[in-house]
Amino acid sequence: MPRRRAGQPLNWPARTNDSFTFRSSLATELARHHVDTEVCVDIADALVAAGTLRPDAVLLGGEQQGLTRTTVVTALRKRAGVPVMVGIGADDGATAAAVLAAGATACIPRPCRAAELIAILRAIHPETVGMVEPALTCGRLLRDPATMEVRHNGRRMVPPKREYQVLRYLMTHADSPGTRSTARSGASRTATRPTP
């Protein structure tokens, strides 16, 4: 499996039985953390995607089309060699034991939450996941750390680094009053803090 530079997005097919709306919202939340997802509609699509895309991880939902999750985990680990996370319901204790014995990296309670997935993805590939903080939005202003640019009403601007740091502080503290000196000191603390 090829390694990626720090901050480069993670290519990640996700397969779940949850509603399309939930899968889309989960993919959107993961994208905020610079995790690329490929949502597959059925197990055949997920197996082909895992073989061709060579993702860094696969999230597997429920059983479909006569294949058990254990069978799919075994195939993915043997043929694609990718870490597999399996969504497990509250009453799926036996299934959790079986998929872990078959080689699953982790079992995740369903419905899957982005924070739990990101924590596991960081453990699998700490050099790629969450190295760049999520984009910030405040009104019509968008600050994107991945590109070090700011957009206002869609118009692109690339401010100097110091102003960029002050803007982060102001956007994250938009609801609290402050002075020029608190903004400067807050921006300095933000600049010295390691990126999440």
Side-chain angles (χ1 to χ4, degrees):
M1 178 177 345
R3 292 286 179 198
R4 288 171 165 65
R5 293 188 330 268
Q8 187 174 357
L10 189 69
N11 192 7
W12 179 44
R15 227 278 302 130
T16 70
N17 272 348
D18 301 317
S19 73
F20 180 76
T21 304
F22 176 75
R23 286 182 282 163
S24 297
S25 66
L26 181 61
T28 301
E29 180 61 26
L30 290 170
R32 285 178 30 85
H33 294 276
H34 305 283
V35 177
D36 290 339
T37 59
E38 180 72 32
V39 179
C40 302
V41 293
D42 59 29
I43 197 65
D45 187 27
L47 290 171
V48 170
T52 57
L53 296 175
R54 292 297 199 178
D56 291 299
V58 173
L59 171 63
L60 182 65
E63 297 172 11
Q64 278 190 355
Q65 301 170 346
L67 291 175
T68 65
R69 287 178 271 189
T70 305
T71 304
V72 176
V73 167
T74 302
L76 286 170
R77 293 298 288 168
K78 181 180 177 184
R79 299 291 182 190
V82 297
V84 181
M85 298 174 288
V86 181
I88 297 291
D91 299 329
D92 289 340
T95 302
V99 296
L100 288 170
T105 303
C107 291
I108 299 171
R110 292 179 67 184
C112 299
R113 290 174 175 71
E116 294 167 344
L117 292 173
I118 289 168
I120 293 171
L121 289 170
R122 279 187 180 142
I124 294 170
H125 292 286
E127 73 282 1
T128 59
V129 178
M131 296 305 291
V132 179
E133 65 184 277
L136 287 175
T137 304
C138 186
R140 296 179 182 175
L141 199 60
L142 171 72
R143 179 188 173 273
D144 189 357
T147 58
M148 292 289 291
E149 68 183 20
V150 176
R151 292 191 178 266
H152 182 262
N153 286 337
R155 199 176 104 229
R156 181 178 174 265
M157 298 173 273
V158 183
K161 185 170 177 130
R162 180 76 177 147
E163 283 82 359
Y164 190 76
Q165 293 165 344
V166 170
L167 182 62
R168 180 190 187 281
Y169 178 81
L170 293 172
M171 289 176 78
T172 57
H173 294 84
D175 295 334
S176 56
T179 64
R180 183 178 295 182
S181 64
T182 59
R184 275 194 208 121
S185 64
S188 297
R189 282 192 305 275
T190 301
T192 58
R193 188 181 329 142
T195 306

